[in-house]
Amino acid sequence: MPTVEEGVIRESAENMVKPKSRYFIGDMSKICNMSRKTLRYYDEIGLIPSQRHDYNNYRYYTYESLLAVPVIKYYKQMGFSLEEMKEFIKGDSKNVYRRLQRRFQDKISELETEQEMIRRKCVSVKDWHALIQEAETVLENDISEVGSKFVDSSTLLYYDQVFENDIEGSIINLEFTNYIESLGNETTGPVLIRFSSMQDRVENRAQPVKILQKPLMPVKDKHAYHFGGQMMVSCYHLGPHESIHETYRKISCWAREKGYDLAEEVYERYVTDYWTTRNSARYVTEILIKASRKRGGEQAT
């Protein structure tokens, strides 16, 4: 009775492709796991040329043609074009290895560029998905209490504007979009607006604002806004932006009860808004305000 090892050796020997002088297209297709249509096309463009019988003009391939297939599949795996493969395989140039190095260096640069583009797309999708999850959690649990929390430090890209009570045009902001493009950058995550005056915001008066969003690529200091890295008063506003003044009043009442002094500037973080849905009842906006309170006669932040 043969051992397991002998059985493996026998099976391997049976599956091994034995060199022959000729392989018909059906043999090539089966051995190389490649369709006849593909083989005919490769023959047509001279990538894997076939031979012809003198007496019946039947197409056949040589053993050398057979061994070219794994090489082509590997080049295809790396993303090279059929024309590039032909050049690599022929190797007619005197400086063939120098040319190969240049082509491979170009391919590395191309793939690194594609990899970076995919990274940015992946970050954008993940960030938006996280916002939808956050909004769903807030709405399902009716989370609208005022509280304080530590806001992580982040570097945002900013754009100065004058807010004239057009909240939709400020969130889906054409000028900000054009500005981002002019910097050769992209952004992700929620839009934030820094209002310079909470009172003006509550009373719908025009005021200077900063439009803020996380960049996907590094930004120069002159375009960067450093946000967070401290405790802030936080409260979710659920529903239309037109009623957000009610949440501001709730925050003000809470701050007085807890002995907090609120900063004049406020931030609105748009978790879900016009970007996500036109159903304003499902909007979720987080209000964030720097605050300090007195303890034992001293002010703590």
Side-chain angles (χ1 to χ4, degrees):
M1 184 175 180
T3 65
V4 173
E5 184 177 353
E6 289 170 340
V8 171
I9 293 172
R10 185 180 296 113
E11 183 180 355
S12 177
E14 290 172 354
N15 292 333
M16 187 177 294
V17 177
K18 297 177 176 60
K20 297 194 301 185
S21 59
R22 294 175 181 176
Y23 298 86
F24 293 108
I25 191 168
D27 300 325
M28 281 282 288
S29 177
K30 183 178 179 181
I31 294 169
C32 300
N33 193 26
M34 185 177 285
S35 72
R36 295 186 183 204
K37 181 179 180 181
T38 299
L39 286 167
R40 290 192 185 97
Y41 180 66
Y42 285 179
D43 185 7
E44 182 183 326
I45 65 174
L47 185 58
I48 306 179
S50 67
Q51 308 297 321
R52 297 284 180 172
H53 272 298
D54 294 335
Y55 59 88
N56 60 16
N57 204 34
Y58 278 3
R59 187 195 315 261
Y60 73 90
Y61 296 87
T62 65
Y63 184 62
E64 183 180 13
S65 301
L66 188 80
L67 295 183
V69 173
V71 178
I72 289 169
K73 286 186 174 182
Y74 195 64
Y75 280 132
K76 185 178 180 182
Q77 172 188 312
M78 291 186 284
F80 288 104
S81 70
L82 298 180
E83 285 300 317
E84 288 172 320
M85 295 179 201
K86 283 174 61 177
E87 180 184 345
F88 297 162
I89 291 170
K90 285 181 180 179
D92 292 338
S93 171
K94 292 181 181 179
N95 299 318
V96 59
Y97 291 124
R98 189 173 299 169
R99 288 177 63 83
L100 277 171
Q101 282 189 72
R102 283 201 297 269
R103 290 298 182 99
F104 272 72
Q105 286 167 353
D106 290 344
K107 179 57 68 176
I108 289 168
S109 297
E110 176 189 325
L111 292 173
E112 286 177 343
T113 299
E114 289 180 10
Q115 187 177 40
E116 171 59 16
M117 290 174 65
I118 291 170
R119 180 196 70 82
R120 297 200 299 268
K121 289 178 182 178
C122 188
V123 171
S124 297
V125 172
K126 285 182 176 179
D127 284 351
W128 201 321
H129 180 245
L131 289 173
I132 293 169
Q133 285 184 312
E134 180 182 351
E136 184 179 36
T137 301
V138 170
L139 289 167
E140 285 185 353
N141 295 280
D142 193 25
I143 301 172
S144 57
E145 301 86 5
V146 184
S148 61
K149 71 175 188 179
F150 182 81
V151 178
D152 290 334
S153 176
S154 59
T155 299
L156 307 177
L157 197 154
Y158 80 92
Y159 184 71
D160 286 320
Q161 271 188 339
V162 174
F163 178 73
E164 295 181 335
N165 206 30
D166 177 12
I167 192 66
E168 182 176 4
S170 296
I171 296 171
I172 302 181
N173 197 308
L174 289 170
E175 291 180 23
F176 186 45
T177 299
N178 293 338
Y179 176 67
I180 294 164
E181 290 177 351
S182 74
L183 297 178
N185 213 319
E186 296 172 356
T187 54
T188 182
V191 172
L192 287 85
I193 298 181
R194 174 193 176 275
F195 294 89
S196 45
S197 169
M198 179 170 64
Q199 192 62 36
D200 288 344
R201 173 65 175 130
V202 170
E203 296 178 7
N204 297 325
R205 290 197 292 260
Q207 62 172 300
V209 297
K210 288 185 185 295
I211 313 299
L212 307 166
Q213 201 170 17
K214 183 174 78 173
L216 280 167
M217 290 171 276
V219 295
K220 296 179 179 179
D221 286 343
K222 63 181 180 179
H223 305 304
Y225 185 87
H226 301 289
F227 174 72
Q230 64 185 125
M231 295 294 297
M232 301 183 79
V233 172
S234 165
C235 185
Y236 285 110
H237 171 73
L238 313 183
H241 299 120
E242 289 75 16
S243 60
I244 201 167
H245 60 278
E246 297 171 4
T247 303
Y248 276 108
R249 291 194 180 101
K250 181 166 65 173
I251 293 171
S252 296
C253 290
W254 179 91
R256 283 194 298 271
E257 291 174 3
K258 300 293 183 180
Y260 276 95
D261 289 327
L262 298 176
E264 180 62 17
E265 64 183 34
V266 297
Y267 299 83
E268 291 182 11
R269 174 177 168 268
Y270 304 99
V271 181
T272 48
D273 49 60
Y274 309 97
W275 285 98
T276 312
T277 178
R278 291 290 163 175
N279 182 359
S280 62
R282 308 299 291 173
Y283 290 171
V284 174
T285 307
E286 185 182 20
I287 297 173
L288 294 161
I289 310 175
K290 298 176 185 177
S292 59
R293 65 178 180 181
K294 295 180 179 179
R295 290 179 179 173
E298 296 182 359
Q299 195 172 46
T301 58

